[in-house]
Amino acid sequence: MKKAFVVGINGKMGKMLCESANSYGYEITGGYDVVQNPAYPTFSDERAVNVPIDVIIDFSRADNKIFDAFAYLAKDRHVPVVIATTGFCEKGLKRIADLANVVPVFHSANMSLGIAAAKAAAITAKSILGDGFDIEIVEKHHNQKVDSPSGTALLLADALAPRDNQVINRNGKRNAGELGITSVRGGTVVGEHEIGFYGNDEVVTVTHSAYSRKLFAAGAFKAADFLLGAKVGLYNMDDLIKTLL
């Protein structure tokens, strides 16, 4: 059985990975977190990790100390890393790219195959509808989500417009060519994303709703399988989709 090490093992997604692992042919051998998990060896010092690792899966937060920890492990053990954490700044993204020069790295703001399909559908819709439609993205998440807008909303927006044309939580009238992103935080919403194309006489929407974190765990293990046969480099969901097709 393949052996996975989970960064953020006591978080909501970390626990979901532990619950789902066996279904995808993985054994969780341990994890990295500041709080001990009684069911698994849990380390807060990466140099103390003494469990076997085939792949590292990170579902934590964009934090330099955490990144340093799993980057050290990846380089020391020569194992690939699935990074599902969102909220990285430009410097953080550069560090991910640098790590991918040493070991295989899979980085995606969303591990859902459904989101990948929604992105492809939105790109197709834009190519058909043209510039006469205003594009707005509305994303909804639980009230404890740290980053806003969501990494997934930015992933979708980047596929449709350059960053210079993206407006976050607009205050005022829309200008031509803008893509707006609006964030909603409330309750226990796992994740909802709607891409709206607003024309003069019609509206087209592409919507994705996540009802359980299980789908993100499934995607993470699919990404891990992909990396176990990959060369050193930086990969994302587009690369995974190509192999599935």
Side-chain angles (χ1 to χ4, degrees):
M1 188 170 281
K2 295 161 288 190
K3 303 182 186 306
F5 185 88
V6 178
V7 179
I9 195 169
N10 283 309
K12 292 177 180 178
M13 273 308 309
K15 292 175 181 176
M16 182 59 68
L17 288 171
C18 293
E19 292 175 14
S20 307
N22 288 348
S23 300
Y24 298 97
Y26 282 85
E27 172 192 359
I28 304 300
T29 56
Y32 181 89
D33 215 311
V34 294
V35 179
Q36 287 292 313
N37 185 318
Y40 300 93
T42 309
F43 305 88
S44 56
D45 180 357
E46 61 273 21
R47 289 167 178 78
V49 175
N50 58 1
V51 296
I53 303 172
D54 292 324
V55 62
I56 297 168
I57 303 178
D58 168 45
F59 263 107
S60 56
R61 65 182 186 276
D63 177 274
N64 286 335
K65 183 177 185 298
I66 296 174
F67 185 93
D68 288 343
F70 70 70
Y72 168 85
L73 275 176
K75 294 174 184 177
D76 184 61
R77 301 294 187 92
H78 304 288
V79 295
V81 187
V82 176
I83 303 176
T85 295
T86 62
F88 285 101
C89 63
E90 289 300 318
K91 185 177 179 180
L93 295 175
K94 175 63 166 56
R95 297 189 74 196
I96 291 172
D98 289 343
L99 179 60
N101 290 324
V102 183
V103 298
V105 175
F106 188 105
H107 179 221
S108 177
N110 193 296
M111 288 292 163
S112 163
L113 295 179
I115 283 291
K119 173 186 168 183
I123 292 171
T124 300
K126 181 185 178 184
S127 67
I128 294 172
L129 298 173
D131 296 331
F133 283 68
D134 298 327
I135 307 175
E136 293 284 324
I137 296 175
V138 178
E139 57 97 350
K140 303 176 183 179
H141 285 86
H142 55 87
N143 57 22
Q144 297 302 300
K145 185 169 179 60
V146 177
D147 53 321
S148 175
S150 69
T152 302
L154 292 173
L155 179 152
L156 295 170
D158 288 344
L160 299 171
R163 282 286 171 102
D164 290 347
N165 289 356
Q166 297 173 22
V167 178
I168 311 299
N169 293 318
R170 176 183 288 102
N171 182 15
K173 65 176 290 187
R174 153 185 284 278
N175 295 314
E178 290 180 346
L179 181 151
I181 306 175
T182 301
S183 299
V184 177
R185 296 289 176 267
T188 59
V189 178
V190 175
E192 296 181 11
H193 293 83
E194 179 183 280
I195 310 161
F197 296 84
Y198 299 87
N200 290 333
D201 300 296
E202 59 183 334
V203 175
V204 177
T205 58
V206 178
T207 304
H208 178 272
S209 298
Y211 298 113
S212 167
R213 291 180 175 84
K214 290 180 181 178
L215 67 94
F216 304 124
F221 287 120
K222 287 182 184 295
D225 284 340
F226 172 86
L227 281 190
L228 288 174
K231 298 178 181 178
V232 170
L234 181 59
Y235 303 94
N236 59 32
M237 189 60 75
D238 291 339
D239 298 301
L240 176 58
I241 295 300
K242 288 176 185 176
T243 65
L244 295 177
L245 294 175

